[in-house]
C-alpha cells in the first residue's frame, strides 16, 4: 500500500505492535482517516505464543520502554500498546500499572492499551451485553473475559479458536477470518468483540456488521479509536464500523 499524503500538522498517534502479523491494518486506517492523523507503528519482539508466561514477557516494562523509545522519532502525542493479550494477561490492576509505566517511559504522554480500548469502546457504544470471538486458547481467552467483566462489560458468551501463535492468526485468509468471527456470534449479545491485533479485520468490519446486524469491535479497530480518543480526535470514518460512525464518542 502506498503511503497517504499527510498534512504536516496532522496529529501523530504512536502504536507499539508485537512482532509482525497484521500491522498493515494501521496504514489502512490511516488512509481512511484521510490526513486527520498519522499512525506510526514500531515493533517489540518476544516469543510468539498465546501462552501466559510468554505474554507477560511480551508486555513487560522493558519491552514497552523499547517501543516508546523507537516511537519518539515520530513525535507522537499519545502512545498505545497495540496488544490485547499482552495487556489483559496482567489483570485489571496490572494493566493499569502497565500503561502508567509506559507513560513514564514515553515522557509523560497519554497512554493506553488494546484491552482498555475494548472496555471504553463498549462503553462509548452503550452496549449492554457482548460475546467474545477469540482466536486464543481457552485459558488465555478466559483472562480477557475476566478483564472485560472487571471493566463493567457483561460477557454473555465466549468461544475460542485455540490458535497457538499470532503468526498463525496473521496468515488467516479473509474468508477464514469472517467465518471465525461470524460463527462465534451470540443472538443475546448486543456486540461481538474480536480480541487479537494479529488478525486483519479492518477491511472486513462493515461486511461483518451487515451480516450480523450488530456492532463488531475488533482489536486493531478499537486500538486506533483509543489512540485518537486520547488526543481528542474523534472523526466519523466510513469503512471502520459503527464505532467510527459515532462522532464524538
Amino acid at each position: 500500500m502506498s503511503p497517504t499524503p499527510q498534512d504536516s500538522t496532522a496529529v501523530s498517534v504512536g502504536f507499539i505492535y508485537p512482532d509482525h502479523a497484521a500491522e498493515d491494518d494501521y496504514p489502512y486506517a490511516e488512509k481512511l482517516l484521510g490526513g486527520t492523523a498519522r499512525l506510526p507503528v514500531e515493533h517489540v519482539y518476544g516469543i510468539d505464543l498465546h501462552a501466559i508466561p510468554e505474554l507477560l514477557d511480551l508486555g513487560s516494562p522493558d519491552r514497552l520502554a523499547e517501543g516508546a523509545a523507537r516511537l519518539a522519532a515520530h513525535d507522537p502525542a499519545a502512545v498505545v500498546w497495540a496488544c490485547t493479550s499482552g495487556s489483559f494477561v496482567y489483570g485489571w490492576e496490572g494493566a493499569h500499572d502497565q500503561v502508567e509505566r509506559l507513560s513514564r517511559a514515553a515522557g509523560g504522554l497519554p497512554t493506553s492499551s488494546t484491552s482498555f480500548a475494548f472496555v471504553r469502546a463498549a462503553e462509548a457504544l452503550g452496549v449492554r451485553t457482548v460475546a467474545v470471538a477469540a482466536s486464543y486458547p481457552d485459558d488465555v481467552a478466559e483472562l480477557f473475559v475476566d478483564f472485560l467483566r472487571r471493566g463493567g462489560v457483561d460477557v454473555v458468551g465466549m468461544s475460542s479458536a485455540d490458535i497457538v501463535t499470532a503468526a498463525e492468526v496473521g496468515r488467516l485468509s479473509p474468508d477464514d477470518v469472517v467465518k471465525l468471527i461470524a460463527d462465534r456470534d451470540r443472538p443475546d449479545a448486543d456486540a461481538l468483540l474480536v480480541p487479537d491485533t494479529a488478525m486483519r479485520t479492518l477491511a472486513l468490519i462493515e461486511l461483518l456488521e451487515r451480516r450480523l446486524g450488530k456492532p463488531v469491535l475488533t482489536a486493531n479497530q478499537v486500538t486506533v479509536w483509543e489512540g485518537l480518543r486520547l488526543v481528542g480526535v474523534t472523526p466519523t470514518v466510513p469503512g471502520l464500523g459503527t464505532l467510527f460512525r459515532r462522532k464524538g464518542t
Side-chain angles (χ1 to χ4, degrees), residues 15-24 26 41-50 54-55 57-59 63-64 70 81-83 85 165-167 197-198:
F15 299 91
I16 302 172
Y17 189 92
D19 297 293
H20 295 276
E23 64 267 35
D24 48 351
Y26 292 84
V41 175
E42 293 289 348
H43 297 266
V44 293
Y45 300 93
I47 297 174
D48 181 24
L49 284 176
H50 288 146
E54 286 76 13
L55 292 170
D57 176 70
L58 186 62
R63 291 198 190 279
L64 296 192
R70 295 188 185 108
W81 171 218
C83 183
S85 55
T165 70
T197 59

Side-chain angles (χ1 to χ4, degrees), residues 145-167:
V145 171
D146 292 344
F147 188 93
L148 292 172
R149 288 175 173 155
R150 282 296 307 273
V153 180
D154 184 7
V155 182
V156 295
M158 185 279 288
S159 59
S160 58
D162 199 28
I163 301 176
V164 177
T165 70

Side-chain angles (χ1 to χ4, degrees), residues 6-17 26-27 29-30 33 35-42 67-68 70-82 102 106 109-113 117 220-235 244:
Q6 290 286 350
D7 183 339
S8 62
T9 64
V11 66
S12 174
V13 180
F15 299 91
I16 302 172
Y17 189 92
Y26 292 84
E30 186 177 282
L33 284 165
T36 304
R38 292 180 288 118
L39 308 179
V41 175
E42 293 289 348
R70 295 188 185 108
L71 278 171
H74 303 281
D75 194 23
V79 173
V80 184
W81 171 218
L102 177 56
L109 293 175
T111 54
S112 189
S113 67
N220 289 323
Q221 174 210 36
V222 301
T223 301
V224 170
W225 175 85
E226 176 75 342
L228 296 173
R229 185 193 68 82
L230 288 175
V231 298
V233 176
T234 55
F244 277 87

Side-chain angles (χ1 to χ4, degrees), residues 96-149:
H96 275 93
D97 181 65
Q98 183 185 59
V99 296
E100 288 168 7
R101 287 171 177 258
L102 177 56
S103 178
R104 292 197 293 272
L109 293 175
T111 54
S112 189
S113 67
T114 305
S115 293
F116 287 121
F118 272 111
V119 171
R120 289 168 185 146
E123 180 181 9
L125 290 178
V127 298
R128 293 174 296 118
T129 58
V130 306
V132 172
S135 56
Y136 317 122
D138 279 347
D139 62 334
V140 175
E142 288 290 353
L143 293 178
F144 181 56
V145 171
D146 292 344
F147 188 93
L148 292 172
R149 288 175 173 155

